[in-house]
Amino acid sequence: MRLIHEAEDGIFELDEEKHIFSITWKDTVSEATVSRILGLAAKAVSAMEVVHWILDRREQDGFTPEARVWIKTRFLENMGIEAMQKTDRMAGINSLHEITEITSDILMESIKKINPDIVYHKFESPILAQEWVTGNEKKTNSTASTSKRDRIKNIFKRN
């Protein structure tokens, strides 16, 4: 992973080879950080055919109201549409704050309207999230389950 942007309330890393965007949100995330990180993600996606996301929310306790509005109106309804259309997997690492989990679920509903084929799973561990996003998940009792598309691929691999 290559560090692209770091602020007190958010970090954006990119693995260009594996097409993984890794975002770590911390504390209450500001509009400035959200717009910078998601703006950079929107630019990076133009050179990729498919994108996987890891959203680490363990240390996040929410977004400012302005950040939530920016995500909804500027990112999901404008510059982020291409990124969401190219996304196939999103892994969320659970927050300790219930309100952050609720907000994330609401955001996922909006994202699914743009691309209903995105497979989204929540994890307790960044290692499990990374393995799942790259398709290298081990047979464990993680909170991830194999998507229908992956099960079909696995059937053909065995034959």
Side-chain angles (χ1 to χ4, degrees), residues 67-127:
R68 285 194 306 271
V69 168
W70 191 93
I71 292 169
K72 176 79 172 120
T73 60
R74 295 291 311 277
F75 189 72
L76 294 179
E77 294 178 1
N78 191 350
M79 71 171 60
I81 291 174
E82 180 184 12
M84 294 301 99
Q85 290 171 339
K86 289 184 175 184
T87 298
D88 68 344
R89 289 182 173 209
M90 293 185 93
I93 303 167
N94 294 332
S95 172
L96 299 174
H97 302 279
E98 188 174 335
I99 193 69
T100 300
E101 289 302 306
I102 293 168
T103 302
S104 295
D105 290 343
I106 292 168
L107 283 172
M108 269 318 297
E109 289 174 21
S110 296
I111 290 168
K112 286 277 203 175
K113 288 177 184 173
I114 298 168
N115 180 355
D117 294 329
I118 292 175
V119 180
Y120 175 69
H121 288 293
K122 294 180 182 181
F123 296 87
E124 300 295 325
S125 154
I127 294 168

Side-chain angles (χ1 to χ4, degrees), residues 6-9 21-22 25-26 67 81 91 93 102 134 141 147-150:
E6 184 171 10
E8 287 183 19
D9 51 351
F21 293 169
S22 179
W25 299 124
K26 300 177 185 178
I81 291 174
I93 303 167
I102 293 168
T134 59
N141 292 329
S147 72
K148 185 176 185 179
R149 187 179 344 165
D150 289 342

